[in-house]
Amino acid sequence: MRKVLSGHGASRGSALGRARVRLPHALDVAEETIPAEQVEAEIARLHAAIDVVRAEMGLLRERLQGALAKEIGEFLDLHALLLDDPELLEGLDELIRANFYSADYALRLQRDRIAAVFTHMDDAYLRTRIDDIDQVIGRIHAALHRRDAAVHGIAGEILVADNVAPSELPQLQAQGVLAVVTSAGSALSHSAILARSLHLPLVVGATWALQKINDGDVLAVDGSTGLVVRDPDADDLRTHRARVREGKRERRQLNRLRREPSRTLDGADIKLWANAESPEDVAEAHALGAAGVGLYRTEFLFLGRRELPDEEMQFQAYRNLVLGMTGRTVTIRTLDLGADKADNTGLVLPDEPNPALGVRGVRLSLRRQAVFETQLRAIVRASGYGPVRVLVPMVSSREEVLAVREQLDRTIAALRAEGHAIAEHIPLGAMIEVPAAAIALPGFIDTVDFLSVGTNDLVQYLLAADRNNEALGDLYTPLHPALVRLLGDVIATASAHGKPIAVCGEMAGDPAFVPLLLALGLGEFSLHPATLLEVRQAVRACDLSRLRSRAETLRHAYDRASIEAWLREATCPDNPAARVPSHG
Ligand code: PEP
Ligand code: MG
């Protein structure tokens, strides 16, 4: 029966397909027993589910090609081994036979028993192996509940889950998944950022998705509005087709701007850099005429791997990035692992009580000198192939920038001594995303060559509002007077010292914020190529001097409503991208 669920649009695009429901890994199954006469049937049901999972993984393995086959294949091989692991499986039959437990509850008990053993291990790497057990058990659990056991592959399907990890997304896309709907998550999470980068439609915060959607249900998903229609009727199908057509029409129109400058009505040139995470992003950024790469998040090289990427592997990735941009500057951000970007290599501290406030970004790099040194060597070597800038995440003090600069200088000297051809000058910049750095900026601006404002984190830390918690709703917003004022101060400080400054958080990629950022004096935006043409279109519809003349009113706005009113008034009516942002 038709049902409309509403979540939050986190990555645009429309999809029509069948649902593949993945139940949460941490099985929330209450104790459940079955009549004695059902025991053998229950064991058979469990083994049928295990066979389905084994077959699915075999199919998946065959479909993987190229680089993915190596990287993801490792996971699949391990998971396939676990499926045959007597430790994992033997106890299950026994639990059902001796205690008359349901297969679901037996799975949960077995999972908890193994988790208890792993949790007490000293080795951080081994402790993270519980994720693999969870994934395998989660797959079996999902297979137990599949309405149609014959559904094997997931190509052409829409994944419905509680959440997705950033590291899963490329794999899902390679498998041909059309879209993802999650009951939790947020549009500002790293998964959402990566989904946008992969052009994979994503709806997050669809609270009832796991209860209301079953395997095999037909879904129409709109990654812009966040609407998910189960069993769409004729009208929904027409709407879906219209949306797909409209999307194509908009693309065609925007494509006319590919070769146009990012210039305001009154002739000011605005620099649009690209946030690039993959070779596809780099190619797109280049084709759309991005000024260069303003943010390359190196942690994505580390996610989904079991071993740290060595110098050579990193060097090749950075060099390919530099070569891909054919002489335009690329900004390589040093490792920002931690918080929701936990890796599988054991680098990130497990069990931090509050990882967003923990050892992430530059804090981790400065504690893991050898890892940092390897990364800096790879970046500096890549600078021999084209202009490179180094950007440091999560800076909160002058001391941190100085420590990085010292290590960078040492690395440059060592590589020169080894005979490497490297750039004459490698600018060093700091992310401004911790409020302390924003406030203390006048005291350390002399230590940096450029700045990049990470509004995703700056909003989170300034407003004490978790960027991954959809339940906070409007509390997470760049339209808070504190953020607007702080941003204005940071841009003014940078300009007064002649230091280039960009905004590279998601705010910069939303055309609705363009008038606000231009009014505050921003001249550089770094954004994902997916919205570059829309932002260019918004820039071209703005009159910079008119906006600047209204900056003071904006800086003195005292609540969200007055900032929204300012935006409505300031936004050029003939800007086709004009709308007051309704989300965070
Ligand atoms: C930010 O915080 O705005 C940012 C660009 O960095 P990330 O999203 O990777 O934390
Ligand atoms: Mg950040």
Side-chain angles (χ1 to χ4, degrees):
M1 210 184 28
R2 179 179 184 271
K3 168 122 195 107
V4 180
L5 295 163
S6 85
H8 301 272
S11 174
R12 285 185 306 184
S14 307
L16 181 69
R18 300 217 305 163
R20 164 60 60 111
V21 179
R22 185 177 74 187
L23 294 172
H25 291 150
L27 299 182
D28 193 12
V29 179
E31 180 171 338
E32 189 187 13
T33 50
I34 50 169
E37 63 275 16
Q38 271 180 26
V39 161
E40 291 313 315
E42 190 70 354
I43 292 175
R45 191 168 82 91
L46 173 66
H47 284 272
I50 293 170
D51 288 343
V52 166
V53 173
R54 199 177 278 120
E56 275 177 355
M57 299 211 310
L59 261 178
L60 244 176
R61 188 77 173 89
E62 281 169 26
R63 273 202 221 121
L64 292 173
Q65 284 170 354
L68 279 176
K70 184 168 179 323
E71 292 203 9
I72 296 161
E74 277 177 28
F75 281 92
L76 290 175
D77 290 344
L78 180 89
H79 289 183
L81 279 177
L82 283 172
L83 272 181
D84 293 322
D85 186 324
E87 180 71 11
L88 178 66
L89 297 181
E90 261 169 21
L92 285 171
D93 293 6
E94 195 47 36
L95 281 166
I96 299 173
R97 226 172 243 129
N99 305 295
F100 306 135
Y101 287 141
S102 66
D104 300 61
Y105 190 58
L107 270 176
R108 187 217 160 132
L109 287 179
Q110 188 72 332
R111 184 257 166 217
D112 291 350
R113 194 180 63 71
I114 298 173
V117 177
F118 274 86
T119 311
H120 291 105
M121 285 181 175
D122 285 339
D123 187 307
Y125 173 75
L126 283 178
R127 273 203 304 269
T128 64
R129 295 307 92 227
I130 188 61
D131 294 345
D132 294 308
I133 304 279
D134 276 349
Q135 293 212 12
V136 171
I137 296 218
R139 276 181 193 267
I140 303 175
H141 193 230
L144 271 175
H145 288 270
R146 207 155 287 155
R147 191 200 283 168
D148 171 6
V151 180
H152 284 310
I154 57 173
E157 294 187 344
I158 294 167
L159 177 71
V160 181
D162 60 333
N163 223 331
V164 276
S167 54
E168 288 181 274
L169 288 171
Q171 179 188 1
L172 289 170
Q173 198 184 42
Q175 288 161 12
V177 166
L178 297 178
V180 178
V181 175
T182 65
S183 54
S186 127
L188 269 299
S189 67
H190 288 98
S191 295
I193 291 172
L194 196 59
R196 289 193 282 274
S197 155
L198 296 168
H199 300 283
L200 184 67
L202 171 68
V203 171
V204 298
T207 328
W208 295 99
L210 289 175
Q211 283 92 332
K212 302 289 179 197
I213 298 173
N214 285 309
D215 249 351
D217 285 349
V218 173
L219 302 179
V221 175
D222 182 354
S224 306
T225 58
L227 287 182
V228 179
V229 185
R230 187 192 68 190
D231 294 334
D233 62 17
D235 278 346
D236 296 318
L237 293 177
R238 274 191 284 274
T239 308
H240 170 75
R241 278 201 301 275
R243 256 196 321 257
V244 172
R245 267 199 311 274
E246 179 61 11
K248 284 190 185 148
R249 198 186 61 78
E250 277 175 15
R251 272 278 116 204
R252 270 199 307 275
Q253 221 170 17
L254 282 170
N255 270 333
R256 297 200 192 115
L257 295 180
R258 287 169 89 89
R259 292 187 206 300
E260 298 298 327
S262 309
R263 186 171 294 151
T264 63
L265 289 172
D266 49 342
D269 281 319
I270 302 300
K271 213 167 185 178
L272 300 188
W273 300 85
N275 291 357
E277 255 72 75
S278 65
E280 291 76 23
D281 289 348
V282 175
E284 205 180 340
H286 193 275
L288 298 179
V293 170
L295 175 65
Y296 177 79
R297 292 175 164 99
T298 57
E299 54 276 11
F300 285 116
L301 279 178
F302 288 62
L303 295 176
R305 306 181 59 83
R306 274 139 207 288
E307 271 137 36
L308 293 172
D310 63 13
E311 180 181 323
E312 201 51 35
M313 201 214 125
Q314 290 191 56
F315 163 65
Q316 286 189 16
Y318 307 151
R319 188 192 55 188
N320 289 346
L321 170 70
V322 172
L323 291 174
M325 288 309 285
T326 61
R328 297 179 216 173
T329 301
V330 306
T331 310
I332 303 181
R333 186 172 75 179
T334 59
L335 204 50
D336 188 20
L337 280 178
D340 65 330
K341 287 177 285 194
D343 65 338
N344 281 322
T345 63
L347 196 57
V348 173
L349 296 181
D351 308 328
E352 280 190 296
N354 197 341
L357 303 182
V359 183
R360 65 171 284 203
V362 70
R363 305 167 181 190
L364 183 67
S365 294
L366 290 176
R367 281 166 190 229
R368 300 297 297 262
Q369 289 287 317
V371 176
F372 196 30
E373 177 65 19
T374 303
Q375 175 162 54
L376 289 178
R377 281 181 61 90
I379 298 175
V380 172
R381 281 175 59 197
S383 79
Y385 296 80
V388 165
R389 309 193 296 180
V390 175
L391 178 60
V392 188
M394 287 296 289
V395 164
S396 59
S397 69
R398 180 181 176 88
E399 291 85 339
E400 282 167 342
V401 185
L402 289 177
V404 173
R405 191 174 276 286
E406 231 179 84
Q407 190 158 349
L408 179 63
D409 287 346
R410 269 202 310 273
T411 307
I412 292 173
L415 285 167
R416 284 220 170 93
E418 289 171 29
H420 289 278
I422 57 180
E424 292 282 304
H425 178 53
I426 302 178
L428 177 66
M431 292 279 294
I432 300 295
E433 52 186 345
V434 176
I439 295 165
L441 181 61
F444 73 88
I445 193 155
D446 61 304
T447 65
V448 295
D449 301 307
F450 69 98
L451 295 163
S452 195
V453 185
T455 43
N456 305 339
D457 278 317
L458 188 58
V459 171
Q460 138 164 293
Y461 295 128
L462 188 65
L463 305 181
D466 184 346
R467 65 194 264 184
N468 296 307
N469 186 348
E470 203 59 59
L472 289 167
D474 282 354
L475 286 178
Y476 181 103
T477 173
L479 297 181
H480 191 288
L483 191 274
V484 170
R485 215 172 292 177
L486 192 59
L487 206 48
D489 290 348
V490 165
I491 295 169
T493 305
S495 309
H497 289 80
K499 303 279 165 121
I501 180 165
V503 167
C504 66
E506 293 302 289
M507 187 181 185
D510 188 335
F513 291 122
V514 164
L516 182 150
L517 293 170
L518 289 178
L520 293 178
L522 192 73
E524 300 186 17
F525 294 59
S526 191
L527 56 145
H528 188 267
T531 58
L532 193 136
L533 292 180
E534 282 168 69
V535 169
R536 179 175 290 159
Q537 186 177 37
V539 165
R540 289 167 62 86
C542 284
D543 181 332
L544 186 61
S545 50
R546 175 173 167 269
L547 288 172
R548 294 307 307 269
S549 71
R550 296 169 191 215
E552 275 316 291
T553 321
L554 174 63
R555 290 176 59 127
H556 289 101
Y558 45 83
D559 60 9
R560 179 179 174 138
S562 47
I563 297 172
E564 284 180 349
W566 183 97
L567 258 179
R568 262 193 303 275
E569 201 261 328
T571 301
C572 211
D574 55 340
N575 170 6
R579 65 174 174 83
V580 172
S582 54
H583 65 280

